[in-house]
Amino acid sequence: MNWNIPISNGRDTYFDRNWGDEPLEDAFVYWDWSRAEMGDNESAILYHVDRRNDKPLALALHFNADGSINEFAPPPDHRLPRTPIWQMPRSSQSDAGTPPSVVKTLEDTPFYSRSVINAHLLGRTVEAVHESLSLDRFRSGWVQHLLPYRMPRW
């Protein structure tokens, strides 16, 4: 599995893509990521990945107002409450001693969640969009059975 994270700058564009010759659920157990506005046209992106056949991976990037990117030491991982409906496990990174909190759950599915969270990064209080993906749940029989059906959004 190769990772590619093209970014034009911290203000305007962010997308990622993954490619390889195996299904995602064969390579990963779980991952979460978040993107936080840091103020002054700066942002931060955090990734935490539990790989199936390798050590966990953490990535922390700070995007400056001039478009330059700096890596910083990934903050500690903290558990967040499970989602209300599907009880999806989720976690996110935040500075030591300041665990993140969920502001609002935007999507709650059997294997994926999207939320707005409050966190503390690089000494600043931030609000971030956060996503969690459980590939163990995705590959389970009961979730595979549900995939043809659309889940209601709330």
Side-chain angles (χ1 to χ4, degrees):
M1 181 64 58
N2 294 310
W3 287 69
N4 184 25
I5 306 174
I7 302 159
S8 68
N9 67 39
R11 298 179 305 234
D12 302 321
T13 304
Y14 167 78
F15 71 94
D16 70 4
R17 65 180 179 194
N18 305 298
W19 71 93
D21 53 7
E22 66 183 346
L24 285 176
E25 64 270 21
D26 289 350
F28 302 104
V29 174
Y30 170 89
W31 84 51
D32 63 65
W33 77 272
S34 61
R35 181 183 185 280
E37 292 292 328
M38 303 291 289
D40 297 325
N41 291 321
E42 297 178 22
S43 61
I45 294 177
L46 303 173
Y47 269 94
H48 170 248
V49 181
D50 290 331
R51 298 182 281 189
R52 205 162 291 285
N53 298 314
D54 206 348
K55 296 177 190 173
L57 172 70
L59 179 66
L61 302 171
H62 178 238
F63 298 86
N64 301 298
D66 65 5
S68 61
I69 303 169
N70 300 87
E71 273 193 66
F72 62 98
D77 195 46
H78 302 269
R79 286 188 183 177
L80 292 167
R82 289 177 177 260
T83 61
I85 297 172
W86 289 100
Q87 295 295 298
M88 168 70 189
R90 51 191 172 169
S91 65
S92 188
Q93 299 74 41
S94 189
D95 291 344
T98 55
S101 61
V102 176
V103 174
K104 183 176 184 178
T105 300
L106 304 172
E107 282 196 59
D108 182 356
T109 77
F111 62 92
Y112 167 82
S113 71
R114 178 180 293 149
S115 308
V116 176
I117 63 170
N118 283 328
H120 205 263
L121 299 175
L122 299 171
R124 302 181 209 178
T125 301
V126 297
E127 187 171 83
V129 174
H130 174 269
E131 295 179 329
S132 293
L133 178 67
S134 172
L135 281 307
D136 277 352
R137 275 190 170 206
F138 176 79
R139 77 185 326 179
S140 69
W142 70 273
V143 170
Q144 290 293 308
H145 177 74
L146 292 174
L147 290 179
Y149 305 98
R150 182 167 173 85
M151 297 293 162
R153 294 182 183 209
W154 45 281

